[in-house]
Amino acid sequence: MAKTKFPSVFDIPKDIKTKGLKPIYYIFGEDTFSFDYAKDVINKAVLPQLASEFDKETYYGSKNSYAEILSAASTFPFGDGKKFLIIKNAEKPKDKEKLAEYAESPSEFTVMLFLHEGSITKPDSEPYKTLIRLEEIFESKEMKGDALVEWVKTIVKENQRNISDENAQLLIDIVGENRSLIELQLEKIFLFLDDKKEVTLESIQQLATELKQFNIFDLINAVGRKEKSKALEIAFNLYESGTDMIQIIAMLNRYFTALSKINEITAMKLSVQEASRIVGTHQYYYKDYLDARRRFSDQEITNAFRALFNADLTIKTSPLDQKTVLTMLIAEIIPD
């Protein structure tokens, strides 16, 4: 059976604009950041139609049954307008089939937002089957790679500014993939830019110096220069300031993958802009990659990949302290 494809939570604004408010928005997925996004979008759309603050209520599927929630949805609002009900932990109630019955004939004065944490394993069961048919269900996926870059560009554009793909990726590499944190840092960048319209390399570098003592690029540069003690100092600082060990491994793996491409790319005689794009770095940093490639032989790059694989495996299968694993990793990449 083909996997069911759900519309994205980020399709909701367009859906409201073209079709108007729906009586039900059922949001599910792992990315709870998008839950807040959906809530803000729908709240903004329904707020002008709320005549009383008492017509906005929050329920919890961990405490309330669907029978109780839908009974509230069918109760007339206090004012002469609509009601807005937010239902968190929508995956918890046992009487889910009642939502399918309600969806077929919903209250015309109530808008409901259901927030379901996690995946839907049986989309052909109720209430999901009915919600899919009525186009009232949206998926909240964790964003990775190009999708996250596009999201950053969208947020920047909504603030009447521009950012290039490579600068968006650079921002993600520095801040991490937590979108709440990215939004927070973008707000700082916008303040730094003042009335300027372009999110530049300079503004992102300014952010990097404010975020913490070291960032992942400091680690990469130290590794690329084979400065073992400095690399260990930066790696420990990153780890102790909350950077996930898996993220450190992933970034180093990405770095050595880039180094492994350098000789072939150099032989192609591409422009710095094109070469840096293929390598996956900002053109400002490309010269550092070239210098690092001269320091690391093919065998040393192979050894680095082996060390990264072993570190990843150890973290996932061994009770060994992660700081010890990090020490061993740097020691294997930059041996004495």
Side-chain angles (χ1 to χ4, degrees):
M1 181 182 292
K3 185 177 179 180
T4 304
K5 183 174 176 59
F6 297 93
S8 166
V9 65
F10 293 98
D11 293 332
I12 292 177
K14 182 179 178 181
D15 189 89
I16 292 175
K17 185 175 181 180
T18 57
K19 302 176 183 178
L21 274 168
K22 297 179 184 293
I24 293 173
Y25 291 90
Y26 196 99
I27 317 296
F28 78 94
E30 308 294 339
D31 183 16
T32 53
F33 171 88
S34 296
F35 289 1
D36 291 333
Y37 172 82
K39 184 168 64 177
D40 289 344
V41 168
I42 297 168
N43 182 67
K44 183 178 179 180
V46 76
L47 189 60
Q49 302 181 55
L50 297 181
S52 168
E53 62 182 42
F54 296 107
D55 288 327
K56 181 179 178 181
E57 301 176 84
T58 300
Y59 291 86
Y60 294 85
S62 54
K63 299 177 181 178
N64 305 108
S65 67
Y66 270 116
E68 294 172 322
I69 295 166
L70 298 174
S71 175
S74 300
T75 303
F76 285 104
F78 284 92
D80 185 22
K82 286 189 177 292
K83 296 178 66 173
F84 182 31
L85 306 187
I86 300 169
I87 300 88
K88 299 182 178 181
N89 309 128
E91 73 282 1
K92 297 289 187 182
K94 302 298 183 183
D95 55 343
K96 293 183 178 64
E97 70 284 349
K98 292 187 180 297
L99 179 55
E101 297 172 10
Y102 173 88
E104 294 288 7
S105 182
S107 298
E108 61 181 21
F109 46 74
T110 302
V111 175
M112 306 180 75
L113 170 61
F114 294 85
L115 302 174
H116 172 138
E117 293 187 26
S119 59
I120 292 175
T121 55
K122 296 181 179 178
D124 56 341
S125 64
E126 295 294 4
Y128 315 118
K129 184 177 179 180
T130 296
L131 294 174
I132 290 170
R133 176 170 55 81
L134 296 173
E135 300 180 335
E136 294 176 339
I137 191 165
F138 299 83
E139 187 171 10
S140 171
K141 284 184 178 180
E142 287 282 1
M143 282 192 174
K144 302 285 183 182
D146 292 343
L148 191 54
V149 169
E150 288 302 316
W151 175 80
V152 170
K153 290 170 65 180
T154 298
I155 295 298
V156 172
K157 186 176 181 180
E158 287 176 355
N159 284 270
Q160 288 79 51
R161 289 178 170 87
N162 302 306
I163 188 171
S164 67
D165 286 9
E166 59 181 355
N167 281 342
Q169 183 62 62
L170 179 62
L171 177 66
I172 293 164
D173 290 340
I174 290 173
V175 177
E177 296 182 339
N178 183 306
R179 283 187 280 161
S180 294
L181 186 55
I182 292 173
E183 274 203 322
L184 178 63
Q185 304 311 330
L186 278 173
E187 289 177 10
K188 294 180 181 179
I189 289 176
F190 296 152
L191 288 173
F192 174 80
L193 290 173
D194 196 14
D195 59 349
K196 298 184 181 71
K197 297 299 183 182
E198 186 74 24
V199 177
T200 60
L201 174 64
E202 179 192 8
S203 63
I204 296 173
Q205 288 175 324
Q206 175 67 24
L207 169 68
T209 62
E210 294 175 357
L211 277 177
K212 49 194 171 185
Q213 184 178 354
F214 296 113
N215 63 61
I216 198 74
F217 290 99
D218 295 315
L219 175 59
I220 285 173
N221 287 335
V223 169
R225 293 190 297 267
K226 290 190 173 180
E227 296 174 348
K228 184 176 180 179
S229 59
K230 189 67 175 179
L232 282 169
E233 178 190 357
I234 295 170
F236 290 161
N237 178 271
L238 288 171
Y239 177 71
E240 290 167 0
S241 64
T243 303
D244 187 73
M245 181 67 177
I246 295 297
Q247 183 187 356
I248 294 174
I249 291 173
M251 287 298 295
L252 285 171
N253 186 72
R254 177 177 163 186
Y255 177 64
F256 280 102
T257 299
L259 291 190
S260 69
K261 299 176 181 178
I262 291 291
N263 287 348
E264 181 181 354
I265 292 171
T266 301
M268 296 168 67
K269 300 186 184 304
L270 301 172
S271 67
V272 172
Q273 184 176 7
E274 182 65 14
S276 60
R277 186 189 65 78
I278 295 173
V279 165
T281 188
H282 196 286
Q283 56 183 319
Y284 178 86
Y285 296 106
Y286 185 64
K287 62 182 185 300
D288 297 326
Y289 281 68
L290 291 174
D291 290 340
R293 186 62 179 91
R294 296 185 191 103
R295 296 188 186 97
F296 281 87
S297 66
D298 291 347
Q299 185 58 54
E300 286 174 319
I301 290 176
T302 300
N303 292 341
F305 282 128
R306 185 180 299 112
L308 289 162
F309 174 80
N310 290 335
D312 184 61
L313 186 64
T314 301
I315 287 172
K316 294 174 180 176
T317 62
S318 168
L320 196 62
D321 174 70
Q322 290 194 7
K323 195 169 182 179
T324 301
V325 176
L326 186 54
T327 304
M328 293 168 58
L329 173 62
I330 299 299
E332 289 184 48
I333 291 176
I334 314 173
D336 293 327

